[in-house]
Amino acid sequence: MCGRASIDKEKIPKQHRFAAKLEGVAFEKNFDARPSQQLPIILPDLDKAIIATWASPEKEPDGKPTLPFNVRQENLLFIARFRSLLPRNRCIIPIDGFFEWKEIEAELDENIVEPAVGLGLDMFGNPIRSRAEKKRLKKAKPQKQKYRFTLKDKEPFGLAGLWRESLLPATGELRRYFTIITTQANAAVMPYHDRMPVILSPEDEAKWMNNRLQEKQWYNLLQPYDAKQMAVMAIDDYESTLGNYVAPQLNSR
């Protein structure tokens, strides 16, 4: 879940709390950000955001990713490599929306006219079906509708995350990676997915960035966001990758 997000620096109001953090940080606006791509993240005690890659390609001895694209809030205190990041490697991922897909039932074509006379039986005694009937009976491939989740006021918001650094063995280059922390879905997201990213209120952002707090205090911030403050809309999957968050059309790509 939450494998897509959007961020457009040009649309961040100058008075917004993220504006100063992102000023002078070079990154392209991204309307369909996904794991393996680079996004800005905000760290404690740094005046400016840094650029990091969403999820690490490195693997643990058991084959699991060292830093996957998301981490369940429930696992933070039980998986050592995540718990070790909590004291000093917390971050905020500034975005203006995230996306989920939901399967929708395919409708049968009611315009197909069935033949008036049956085609009889084959050599095994099974009914011979017309091409039109086969089309109707064939299991339809599940279709998915894309949905965009934002705050009602359309302001950018911050997700709780963890980050880490890693040296590339081949070049010695220092790379930074991040993951998004997820929690149980609130009432706004539940109809579409049972998980959601942890959205931090401005007050909770300050606490999440406070290195003087304790593990329990950070952990207690990782709760579902107030559903009444969120908005969701069905959007055209293709158009949304261009930054056009329009309602889907009948001929949507």
Side-chain angles (χ1 to χ4, degrees):
M1 62 77 40
C2 191
R4 296 288 191 278
S6 61
I7 176 68
D8 185 353
K9 185 170 65 171
E10 296 176 4
K11 293 185 178 180
I12 297 178
K14 292 183 179 180
Q15 69 276 13
H16 194 277
R17 62 190 181 279
F18 293 158
K21 293 286 187 180
L22 297 174
E23 184 179 3
V25 180
F27 67 95
E28 297 292 330
K29 55 188 176 184
N30 196 330
F31 304 116
D32 193 44
R34 60 190 66 190
S36 79
Q37 295 184 340
Q38 292 188 323
L39 293 173
I41 62 174
I42 298 170
L43 308 185
D45 302 328
L46 286 186
D47 293 333
K48 298 293 182 179
I50 65 170
I51 300 299
T53 301
W54 187 357
S56 168
E58 299 170 319
K59 302 290 185 181
E60 294 295 299
D62 60 7
K64 294 181 179 179
T66 298
L67 201 63
F69 73 93
N70 64 46
V71 174
R72 296 173 69 94
Q73 160 253 330
E74 299 92 327
N75 291 336
L76 279 185
L77 301 184
F78 299 101
I79 298 180
R81 67 181 183 277
F82 301 144
R83 187 169 188 169
S84 66
L85 296 175
L86 196 56
R88 292 290 172 181
N89 288 71
R90 303 173 316 284
C91 67
I92 292 173
I93 303 99
I95 64 171
D96 52 36
F98 65 92
F99 306 95
E100 291 292 352
W101 285 260
K102 183 179 180 181
E103 287 189 3
I104 55 177
E105 294 184 3
E107 296 182 358
L108 294 176
D109 189 349
E110 299 297 337
N111 296 321
I112 297 177
V113 179
E114 294 297 329
V117 180
L119 301 180
L121 303 177
D122 63 17
M123 62 182 297
F124 301 104
N126 299 314
I128 301 174
R129 304 187 186 279
S130 67
R131 182 177 297 178
E133 189 177 6
K134 289 179 180 179
K135 183 176 180 180
R136 283 173 58 86
L137 295 176
K138 184 179 180 180
K139 185 178 180 180
K141 181 180 179 180
Q143 297 180 352
K144 293 185 177 182
Q145 174 60 57
K146 189 175 185 179
Y147 294 87
R148 186 171 193 245
F149 298 85
T150 65
L151 299 188
K152 281 187 175 179
D153 59 12
K154 305 303 180 184
E155 290 279 306
F157 53 95
L159 306 182
L162 299 174
W163 73 285
R164 66 184 295 271
E165 292 180 324
S166 179
L167 284 174
L168 297 181
T171 63
E173 181 184 358
L174 184 66
R175 288 286 182 91
R176 299 183 177 98
Y177 303 97
F178 73 90
T179 184
I180 292 172
I181 300 172
T182 70
T183 187
Q184 294 180 345
N186 61 19
V189 180
M190 182 60 74
Y192 311 93
H193 203 286
D194 61 355
R195 305 288 299 180
M196 68 177 293
V198 173
I199 300 174
L200 297 168
S201 68
E203 295 77 15
D204 286 346
E205 286 176 6
K207 296 177 183 177
W208 185 247
M209 293 285 96
N210 188 344
N211 281 331
R212 294 186 295 274
L213 300 184
Q214 301 298 314
E215 182 181 82
K216 183 178 180 180
Q217 293 171 290
W218 295 314
Y219 187 80
N220 288 342
L221 300 175
L222 307 177
Q223 304 295 329
Y225 197 70
D226 182 4
K228 295 179 181 179
Q229 304 301 317
M230 295 185 66
V232 56
M233 66 175 293
I235 56 174
D236 182 287
D237 200 341
Y238 175 81
E239 291 290 340
S240 70
T241 64
L242 307 175
N244 303 322
Y245 304 120
V246 298
Q249 303 297 319
L250 293 178
N251 62 348
S252 177
R253 302 169 184 82

